[in-house]
């Protein structure tokens, strides 16, 4: 797909016949290990297919996308927050990942929409995934994927804003929706201004969701902050939650095993969190709603007026 051209100012040629040739703008996509430059990200991936390498991405707005087919690839912004992607490959995402492993560092994904309602910044289909210092803005989905393997997924120091939908298609999209049989970690990240669905929905036997903020005060038609629909153990620690007034489902902040009891939730630790209601929210949600039938490890969570600490539900 095409991207917006990045136009560099070129020096004016002097009238002398011996004037040097104008300087050329560097290629937007550079292989860190070799210095090779490419006009398009997909060309860089194909040139090094099967190997482990880093692609440095110059500042710019890129209306293109890429599919990783092998190897371990790091997609790194030369300057964090300045490399912005707005395209989608295969009607899925800006980056469709099918290698052994992928790292995304400092990129921005925005305004991504596709006909099936799941337009994402990242679609992970094979391999491990690490996302750091990234932003996902005003799209149908931030990160989506199911590997079916015991992979490791880490999301750290990233922002998810204006994501999700339940109006465009029969099934909702979410800020983050991931599944594997290994572990999923979400830390030090911000979730805000949701536009439908859940903020974090994970299908995994082991999760770690620590030190994040979930600000739903400007959300619209949103559901849970954290949904573990098939259970799962691990920890949910030191997060801050604000539930807004414009909910599609206001009944819980954190909901366990609402769809199935596939993974044990016994001992899931929920401790050191803070949860409040935004002005205009008159409901009384449960901070933790447990459908697993198993005993969780609930610690000292700080709950504002109107937030009930715990609720057990039947399947």
């Amino acid at each position: 797909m095409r991207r917006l051209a990045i136009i560099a100012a070129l020096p004016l040629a002097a009238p002398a016949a011996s004037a040097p040739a104008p300087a050329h703008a560097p290629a937007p996509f550079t292989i860190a290990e070799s210095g090779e430059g490419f006009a398009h990200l997909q060309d860089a991936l194909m040139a090094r297919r099967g190997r482990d390498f880093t692609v440095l991405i110059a500042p710019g707005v890129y209306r293109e996308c890429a599919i990783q087919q092998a190897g371990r690839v790091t997609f790194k912004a030369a300057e964090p927050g300045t490399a912005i992607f707005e395209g989608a490959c295969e009607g899925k995402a800006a980056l469709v990942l099918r290698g052994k492993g992928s790292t995304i560092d400092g990129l921005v994904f925005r305004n991504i929409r596709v006909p099936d309602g799941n337009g994402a910044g990242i679609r992970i289909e094979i391999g491990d995934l690490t996302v750091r210092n990234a932003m996902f803005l005003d799209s149908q989905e931030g990160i989506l994927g199911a590997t079916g393997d015991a992979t490791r997924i880490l999301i750290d120091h990233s922002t998810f804003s204006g994501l999700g939908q339940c109006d465009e298609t029969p099934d909702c999209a979410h800020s983050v929706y991931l599944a594997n049989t290994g572990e999923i970690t979400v830390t030090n990240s911000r979730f805000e201004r949701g536009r439908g669905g859940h903020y974090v929905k994970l299908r995994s036997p082991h999760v770690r969701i620590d030190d994040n903020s979930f600000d739903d005060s400007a959300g619209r038609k949103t559901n849970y902050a954290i949904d573990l629909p098939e259970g799962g153990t691990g920890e949910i620690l030191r997060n801050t939650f604000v539930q807004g007034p414009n909910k599609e489902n206001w009944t819980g902040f954190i909901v366990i095993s609402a769809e199935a009891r596939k993974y044990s939730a016994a001992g899931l630790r929920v401790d050191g969190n803070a949860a409040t209601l935004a002005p205009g929210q008159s409901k009384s949600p449960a901070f933790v709603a447990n459908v697993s039938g198993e005993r969780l490890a609930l610690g000292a969570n700080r709950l504002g007026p109107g937030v009930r600490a715990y609720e057990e539900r039947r399947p």
Side-chain angles (χ1 to χ4, degrees):
M1 300 181 66
R2 295 181 299 172
R3 63 171 181 84
L4 290 181
I6 303 174
I7 303 175
L10 301 178
L12 294 175
S18 60
H24 293 284
F29 305 101
T30 302
I31 304 299
E33 291 79 2
S34 67
E36 299 169 272
F38 297 88
H40 300 285
L41 180 55
Q42 190 66 55
D43 294 340
L45 296 184
M46 295 304 295
R48 306 278 292 192
R49 182 177 177 181
R51 288 179 274 181
D52 300 350
F53 61 96
T54 295
V55 182
L56 297 177
I57 303 173
V61 178
Y62 299 99
R63 302 191 192 282
E64 64 177 67
C65 58
I67 303 168
Q68 178 190 349
Q69 299 178 346
R72 294 184 179 273
V73 178
T74 295
F75 303 81
K76 183 178 177 64
E79 299 175 22
T82 64
I84 303 167
F85 284 85
E86 295 184 337
C89 283
E90 299 181 338
K92 294 179 180 179
L95 295 180
V96 180
L97 307 176
R98 301 187 185 120
K100 291 183 179 179
S102 309
T103 297
I104 283 76
D105 190 346
L107 302 184
V108 179
F109 305 90
R110 72 182 185 192
N111 301 329
I112 299 173
R113 317 194 87 77
V114 299
D116 76 356
N118 289 307
I122 297 171
R123 174 75 73 93
I124 175 68
E125 297 184 350
I126 299 174
D128 298 328
L129 173 64
T130 297
V131 178
R132 296 192 183 97
N133 306 312
M135 298 183 72
F136 301 82
L137 309 174
D138 301 312
S139 301
Q140 291 166 323
E141 202 125 20
I143 305 175
L144 171 65
T147 67
D149 299 318
T151 55
R152 293 186 177 184
I153 297 175
L154 167 65
I155 300 168
D156 183 59
H157 282 95
S158 294
T159 296
F160 299 80
S161 182
L163 305 169
Q165 63 84 18
C166 290
D167 297 331
E168 300 174 45
T169 55
D171 295 325
C172 292
H174 315 281
S175 296
V176 170
Y177 187 12
L178 293 167
N180 68 8
T181 58
E183 60 183 24
I184 301 174
T185 298
V186 183
T187 53
N188 304 299
S189 294
R190 179 172 178 81
F191 297 84
E192 64 182 11
R193 201 168 52 83
R195 290 296 175 259
H198 308 297
Y199 284 97
V200 172
K201 183 170 184 174
L202 306 179
R203 299 179 188 271
S204 181
H206 193 274
V207 302
R208 183 162 72 92
I209 307 171
D210 298 345
D211 302 298
N212 305 286
S213 68
F214 296 84
D215 182 0
D216 186 49
S217 56
R220 188 184 70 230
K221 297 184 178 181
T222 52
N223 290 282
Y224 310 140
I226 298 174
D227 182 27
L228 305 182
E230 298 175 335
T233 191
E235 60 186 41
I236 301 174
L237 306 178
R238 299 179 303 275
N239 302 282
T240 60
F241 301 85
V242 178
Q243 180 162 298
N246 300 311
K247 306 290 290 182
E248 182 181 75
N249 189 333
W250 56 267
T251 60
F253 286 78
I254 301 169
V255 180
I256 315 299
S257 301
E259 297 179 21
R261 297 179 178 181
K262 182 175 181 178
Y263 303 118
S264 173
L268 174 67
R269 186 180 172 206
V270 184
D271 192 10
N273 302 284
T276 58
L277 302 180
Q281 164 64 285
S282 60
K283 307 292 186 180
S284 183
F287 178 56
V288 177
N290 184 13
V291 196
S292 74
E294 298 177 294
R295 182 170 181 150
L296 311 181
L298 299 182
N301 298 291
R302 303 181 304 281
L303 307 180
V307 181
R308 295 177 291 114
Y310 182 75
E311 174 182 279
E312 288 192 0
R313 299 179 183 174
R314 293 183 177 181

